[in-house]
Amino acid sequence: MKKRLLIFIIVMLILMPTALSVFLGIRLATVQKELEKLQAQVKEAETVSSTQLLGDGTASDAGTEAFQNIYTADSVDISRRDSSAVKESDSQESILPDGNMRKVYLTFDDGPSSNTGKILDILAEYDVKATFFVVGKEDEKYKALYNRIVEEGHTLGMHSYSHKYDEIYQSVDSYAQDLSKLQEFLYDTTGVWCRYCRFPGGSSNTVSRVDMKELIAYLNEQDITYFDWNIASGDASSSYISADAILYNCTQQIPKFNECIILMHDASNKNTTVQALPALIEKIQAMEDTIIVPITEDTELIQHISNE
C-alpha cells in the first residue's frame, strides 16, 4: 500500500509541472490575444481621431449652429437684414497687418439650447464673436436666443430645421424643403436672411441617400455658402469628453492652419464644451499673430467636398 502511494506521489510530482506548464501556456496565449485586441482598438481609436478633422459623422445631437451677423439700422435694411452684413469689432480690425494674421473661427452646431445662453455670456465677457449654425426651434425661449445671437454681433447660419438625417437626406427636394423652412423661420424671427449653412454631419457625411454634390449645386443656385471645418473639438461624439480633452484637441491643431474653423456644439448635453470655452479663448488670444473672428463673406472656404 505504501509502495503504491509512493508511486502515486512520484507520478503526481512528475505530472504537476507538465500540467502547470500547459495551463500557463494556454493562459499566456489568451493574454496575448487580449493584448492584440486592445492594440487593435487603440489603433482604430487613433485612426478615428485623425479622421475627425474630415467629418463629425452622424452622431451630432439635434440642435443648431448660428453664425455671426453684426448690423445697424443705418447700414442694413431692417426689413431684410442680410446675414453677410457683418462688421468686425474695431479692436479686431486694428490689429490686422495686411491679412497676415491667423484667423480662428469658433463655430457651434445644433443650438439653440440651454447651453447657448451660457456660451453667449462667455463670448460677451471676452468680447469675441462666433458663428452659430442653428436648427429650428419655435419656443419663445429659443426665439430669444436666435435674436440674441444676431443682436450681439455673431454670425447666424443654418444647420437644418429638423436635423433628422433620414428625412433631409432622402432627396434634393427633401433637403431643400427643410433648409427653406429654416431660412424662412429665421427671417421671420430675426429679420436675417441667412446665406451660410453647414450640412448635418458635414459635406463628407456618409448617410446621405443623394449625392452630396447635387445638394451643393442646389446651395449654389440659392446663393448659399456652406462651411465644414478643419479642426474638430471632439465634442460631436455621443460619449463623454472632458473639457481638458476639448481644449487639447483644438489648441494642438491651430498652429497647422492659417484659417482655422473649429467644430463645436452647443446642444443641451454639451456641458464640457461650455466649460472648455473660456480657457480655449484665452489660449487662442495668447497665440502670436492670431485672432478670433466670425464667418463672413470674406472667410476662406473650408469644405470637405467641392463641386468645382
Side-chain angles (χ1 to χ4, degrees), residues 3-52:
K3 185 177 181 180
R4 290 182 178 179
L5 179 60
L6 181 60
I7 294 173
F8 175 79
I9 293 174
I10 294 173
V11 171
M12 291 301 297
L13 290 174
I14 294 173
L15 293 178
M16 283 182 62
T18 303
L20 183 60
S21 297
V22 172
F23 172 79
L24 291 176
I26 295 173
R27 182 57 182 165
L28 178 60
T30 301
V31 171
Q32 287 177 332
K33 289 181 179 179
E34 292 175 350
L35 179 59
E36 291 173 354
K37 183 178 179 180
L38 288 173
Q39 290 174 333
Q41 291 174 344
V42 170
K43 184 176 181 180
E44 180 180 0
E46 291 174 346
T47 302
V48 171
S49 177
S50 65
T51 57
Q52 275 188 324

Side-chain angles (χ1 to χ4, degrees), residues 112 136-146 161 185 189:
K137 295 184 178 181
E138 300 194 11
D139 289 354
E140 290 303 319
K141 63 180 180 180
Y142 297 124
K143 289 184 177 181
L145 289 171
Y146 294 124
Y161 188 91
F185 168 70
T189 302

Side-chain angles (χ1 to χ4, degrees), residues 261-279:
I261 296 185
I262 300 178
L263 172 68
M264 293 183 285
H265 295 79
D266 61 335
S268 59
N269 62 339
K270 303 302 179 182
N271 298 323
T272 56
T273 301
V274 179
Q275 296 166 13
L277 188 57

Side-chain angles (χ1 to χ4, degrees), residues 92-105:
Q92 291 173 338
E93 290 178 348
S94 64
I95 61 174
L96 286 174
D98 300 326
N100 291 327
M101 300 291 287
R102 173 185 292 111
K103 296 179 181 179
V104 178
Y105 302 85

Side-chain angles (χ1 to χ4, degrees), residues 140-174:
E140 290 303 319
K141 63 180 180 180
Y142 297 124
K143 289 184 177 181
L145 289 171
Y146 294 124
N147 280 292
R148 186 179 169 188
I149 288 168
V150 172
E151 291 164 1
E152 295 185 8
H154 304 286
T155 295
L156 179 64
M158 300 176 289
H159 201 32
S160 67
Y161 188 91
S162 67
H163 205 272
K164 295 179 179 179
Y165 288 73
D166 58 339
E167 295 181 7
I168 63 177
Y169 285 138
Q170 283 186 353
S171 65
V172 173
D173 286 342
S174 60

Side-chain angles (χ1 to χ4, degrees), residues 202-252:
S203 66
S204 56
N205 79 82
T206 58
V207 299
S208 178
R209 298 181 182 179
V210 61
D211 189 334
M212 290 301 296
K213 289 190 175 183
E214 294 183 33
L215 300 184
I216 294 170
Y218 164 76
L219 293 181
N220 292 338
E221 292 172 0
Q222 303 301 313
D223 192 27
I224 297 173
T225 303
Y226 79 93
F227 289 89
D228 287 311
W229 58 91
N230 55 3
I231 296 178
S233 68
D235 71 351
S237 173
S238 58
S239 58
Y240 174 82
I241 182 171
S242 69
D244 287 341
I246 291 173
L247 181 62
Y248 177 84
N249 290 342
C250 295
T251 56
Q252 291 300 303

